[in-house]
Amino acid sequence: METVSTSKAYGGTQGVYRHASTATGTDMTFAVYVPPHDEGAQLPVLWFLSGLTCTHANVMDKGEYRRACAELGVILVAPDTSPRGDDVPDDDAYDFGKGAGFYVDATEEPWATNFQMRSYVEDELPALIAAQFPMADMARQGIFGHSMGGHGALTMALRNPDRFKSVSAFAPIVAPLQCPWGEKALGGYLGPDRAAWRAYDACALIADGARVAGILVDQGDADGFLAEQLKPELLAEACKAVGIALILRMQPGYDHSYNFISTFMGDHVAWHAERLK
């Protein structure tokens, strides 16, 4: 692992790191904030998955999470959203290819060689964090994200309830099988068999038996993607049908931007910290 940069923030360390990924076959860059802590302390780990077009830098620069993480003693890890590099295939569209990995393991060419973001975030990067950050308590992990990253957080938590003890999301894509973003991405990465898509759809996973103890979702009611792409009412219906405790907060006047995310970031970090004690 190569250290790209470190700087002090709220008594802790904001770092950016790079490593050669086996899963994606590329170099991958990620951010880690380690709050101030006593020597030998073990701290819970919170994963933030970003949305379309983003890298680790978007939440690091605009998410305003460090004060809450420092006060509550939580490590925050922010991976990239896709593999990158001159040899990585791309679609020249903001919602597919580079910057739009959708946290899936692609099976269709030319995407399958590099676009293995599920394996990268679920397996490879956690192993690296455990090896390189001895203060990280990998028995206490939570996960959250925004938009495409909210989709990633929900699906990873539902597939791995023993690993992720808490899950939340900002404006998540809750049902990729039922929206244009999801149909394009899952069809392109996984092929035409919609049955294979269900492992990457939160509502479908719940219908198929996946369970978590509870979910927090914040959604702006002025979000331009709300009706066509996000459809939080579908998640509410899926959770109600099986008794998953969903807190869905519709926030008046808020849009899809990091102005929205940063406003409620402290609430989400506190939500996870309480469940990761």
Side-chain angles (χ1 to χ4, degrees):
M1 185 181 76
E2 172 193 354
T3 299
V4 177
S5 66
T6 59
S7 58
K8 189 170 182 177
Y10 295 100
T13 301
Q14 177 66 68
V16 177
Y17 308 92
R18 183 184 298 117
H19 74 117
S21 167
T22 301
T24 68
T26 66
D27 285 349
M28 295 293 286
T29 302
F30 61 96
V32 181
Y33 177 71
V34 178
H37 59 280
D38 294 332
E39 185 175 352
Q42 289 283 285
L43 306 176
V45 178
L46 181 56
W47 297 82
F48 183 87
L49 305 185
S50 292
L52 290 167
T53 75
C54 292
T55 70
H56 68 281
N58 295 76
V59 70
M60 189 179 77
D61 293 345
K62 298 183 286 187
E64 300 183 21
Y65 56 83
R66 281 175 285 268
R67 181 189 293 274
C69 287
E71 292 175 350
L72 295 167
V74 176
I75 295 170
L76 190 140
V77 181
D80 202 345
T81 54
S82 77
R84 299 181 191 272
D86 292 341
D87 296 330
V88 174
D90 197 13
D91 191 60
D92 294 324
Y94 82 96
D95 57 355
F96 194 81
K98 293 180 186 178
F102 268 83
Y103 303 99
V104 307
D105 278 356
T107 56
E108 297 294 295
E109 295 299 341
W111 316 105
T113 300
N114 304 113
F115 283 75
Q116 301 293 309
M117 291 302 294
R118 173 181 177 175
S119 292
Y120 177 70
V121 176
E122 284 189 359
D123 300 318
E124 184 177 13
L125 190 53
L128 184 66
I129 296 297
Q132 297 289 336
F133 296 87
M135 75 294 293
D137 184 353
M138 304 307 285
R140 293 187 291 157
Q141 295 184 65
I143 191 167
F144 67 149
H146 169 231
S147 193
M148 177 185 72
H151 139 77
L154 291 171
T155 56
M156 288 187 183
L158 285 161
R159 290 193 305 261
N160 301 277
D162 293 336
R163 177 184 302 182
F164 298 109
K165 310 300 184 185
S166 58
V167 57
S168 72
F170 299 98
I173 304 168
V174 304
L177 276 77
Q178 301 180 61
C179 75
W181 276 343
E183 291 184 341
K184 178 178 180 178
L186 299 184
Y189 292 133
L190 304 177
D193 182 5
R194 293 176 70 92
W197 301 7
R198 295 184 69 83
Y200 300 106
D201 182 301
C203 291
L205 283 165
I206 291 169
D208 292 346
R211 299 291 182 268
V212 292
I215 303 170
L216 170 64
V217 171
D218 274 306
Q219 171 66 63
D221 72 0
D223 189 324
F225 301 114
L226 177 58
E228 183 180 30
Q229 304 284 10
L230 305 178
K231 305 182 180 183
E233 69 278 2
L234 297 180
L235 181 64
E237 293 167 4
C239 289
K240 183 178 180 180
V242 300
I244 292 176
L246 170 67
I247 299 173
L248 173 58
R249 306 193 305 187
M250 297 300 298
Q251 303 292 359
Y254 284 91
D255 59 17
H256 201 69
S257 72
Y258 268 89
N259 295 323
F260 157 62
I261 296 169
S262 62
T263 299
F264 301 103
M265 178 63 78
D267 291 355
H268 283 248
V269 175
W271 161 274
H272 290 277
E274 176 65 26
R275 286 153 183 80
L276 298 175
K277 284 183 177 176

